[in-house]
């Protein structure tokens, strides 16, 4: 009925109380785009200049920081109703969680943070979420549950935030296949690795813990 339609949100997720991680990521972008190694691979990015790109300008964001668990599309997405009715989801609604961020990644499309979920958090992760991505990212369905968990920090022009999780899966599929990437630099934050096609991964030396609230968005 009508009530059911409006009672399922656009999406569920963990919503950050602070956006400090975004400042960390912006600092990282500032460093990244000044590296010779980055400039060497600048052609990976669709920019006109051949010399440099300002990554802080290149990416935009207008949303409040969050880690999506289930995209429901007001009930239209597959499994949305089942997810909304899950005991774990209902019992956790409105509660506070610490998420562990273990990496930052940058591609010509998106910049994001990888979230490493613990077992309790995986109980809020929808079954098949990573498998659903298989069509967009071949191999994603074989990754461990929760692999897609991320915080979108910015998107290039005309790119939707849904791309951030797919870009993360794309990098994880490469790693799963044994590709280490090219170690570019040991930075203060962690080790910076380059995969081809403009994919950069900064594995954090110390995971960053962020406080969040498990909730949903209706707008
Ligand atoms: O950055 P995100 O995780 O990517 O947060 C937004 C949020 O839902 C609201 O748009 C994510 N999102 C959008 N479409 C999908 C989808 N088909 N599957 C999974 N997540 C999605 C988007």
């Amino acid at each position: 009925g009508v009530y059911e339609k409006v009672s399922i949100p656009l999406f569920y997720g963990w919503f950050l109380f602070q956006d400090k991680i975004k400042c960390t990521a912006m600092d990282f972008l500032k460093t990244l785009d000044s590296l010779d190694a980055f400039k060497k691979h600048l052609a990976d990015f669709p920019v006109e200049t051949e010399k440099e790109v300002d990554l802080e300008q290149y990416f935009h964001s207008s949303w409040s920081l969050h880690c999506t668990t289930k995209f429901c599309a007001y009930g239209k997405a597959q499994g949305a109703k089942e997810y909304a009715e899950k005991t774990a989801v209902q019992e956790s609604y409105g509660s506070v969680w610490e998420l562990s961020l273990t990496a930052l990644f940058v591609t010509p499309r998106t910049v994001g943070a990888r979230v490493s979920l613990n077992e309790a958090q995986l109980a809020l992760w929808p079954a098949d979420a990573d498998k659903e991505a298989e069509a967009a990212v071949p191999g994603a369905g074989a990754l461990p549950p929760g692999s897609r968990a991320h915080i979108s920090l910015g998107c290039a022009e005309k790119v939707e935030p849904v791309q951030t999780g797919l870009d993360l899966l794309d990098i994880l599929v490469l790693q799963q296949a044994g590709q280490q990437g090219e170690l570019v630099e040991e930075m203060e934050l962690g080790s910076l690795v380059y995969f081809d096609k403009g994919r950069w991964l900064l594995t954090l030396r110390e995971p960053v813990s962020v406080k969040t609230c498990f909730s949903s968005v209706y707008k």
Side-chain angles (χ1 to χ4, degrees):
V2 170
Y3 174 72
E4 262 172 35
K5 267 188 204 144
V6 298
S7 69
I8 297 181
L10 180 59
F11 70 100
Y12 286 88
W14 289 284
F15 293 80
L16 279 68
F17 290 110
Q18 293 189 324
D19 58 6
K20 191 161 169 275
I21 185 61
K22 192 158 167 188
C23 304
T24 306
M26 291 305 122
D27 284 347
F28 166 58
L29 291 182
K30 211 182 286 177
T31 306
L32 180 63
D33 67 21
S34 68
L35 295 178
D36 285 340
F38 182 82
K39 290 179 184 165
K40 193 173 94 186
H41 297 293
L42 197 59
D44 295 339
F45 282 70
V47 288
E48 272 149 43
T49 142
E50 275 148 44
K51 286 210 179 86
E52 50 192 50
V53 57
D54 182 345
L55 287 178
E56 281 181 285
Q57 301 282 319
Y58 180 85
F59 294 111
H60 63 87
S61 66
S62 57
W63 51 87
S64 52
L65 297 185
H66 62 269
C67 172
T68 304
T69 53
K70 176 70 182 174
F71 181 73
C72 293
Y74 308 109
K76 282 184 288 215
Q78 204 186 340
K81 191 161 179 285
E82 291 75 7
Y83 183 83
E85 286 170 354
K86 267 171 78 123
T87 313
V89 169
Q90 297 195 345
E91 285 180 348
S92 303
Y93 200 80
S95 62
V96 173
W97 298 73
E98 296 257 352
L99 295 186
S100 177
L101 315 184
T102 52
L104 297 176
F105 55 93
V106 175
T107 76
R109 296 165 298 278
T110 65
V111 51
R114 182 183 187 188
V115 179
S116 294
L117 301 175
N118 64 28
E119 220 160 300
Q121 291 159 355
L122 281 171
L124 293 173
W125 194 254
D128 296 338
D130 307 294
K131 283 201 191 78
E132 271 174 31
E134 178 70 31
V137 184
L143 294 171
S147 294
R148 188 177 184 165
H150 70 280
I151 295 167
S152 292
L153 298 168
C155 289
E157 211 182 335
K158 293 181 190 144
V159 174
E160 298 290 331
V162 64
Q163 187 61 46
T164 317
L166 301 177
D167 281 358
L168 172 60
L169 289 172
D170 177 54
I171 291 172
L172 297 180
V173 165
L174 285 183
Q175 284 189 322
Q176 177 99 334
Q179 286 199 46
Q180 311 286 311
E182 168 197 335
L183 178 64
V184 170
E185 195 153 314
E186 289 295 347
M187 301 172 67
E188 212 176 298
L189 277 174
S191 40
L192 178 66
V193 165
Y194 171 73
F195 296 92
D196 60 350
K197 298 185 196 151
R199 296 169 289 189
W200 299 84
L201 178 71
L202 178 78
T203 303
L204 299 175
R205 211 170 295 291
E206 294 287 339
V208 172
S209 178
V210 293
K211 204 173 252 192
T212 69
C213 178
F214 181 68
S215 180
S216 63
V217 160
Y218 283 87
K219 69 154 190 341

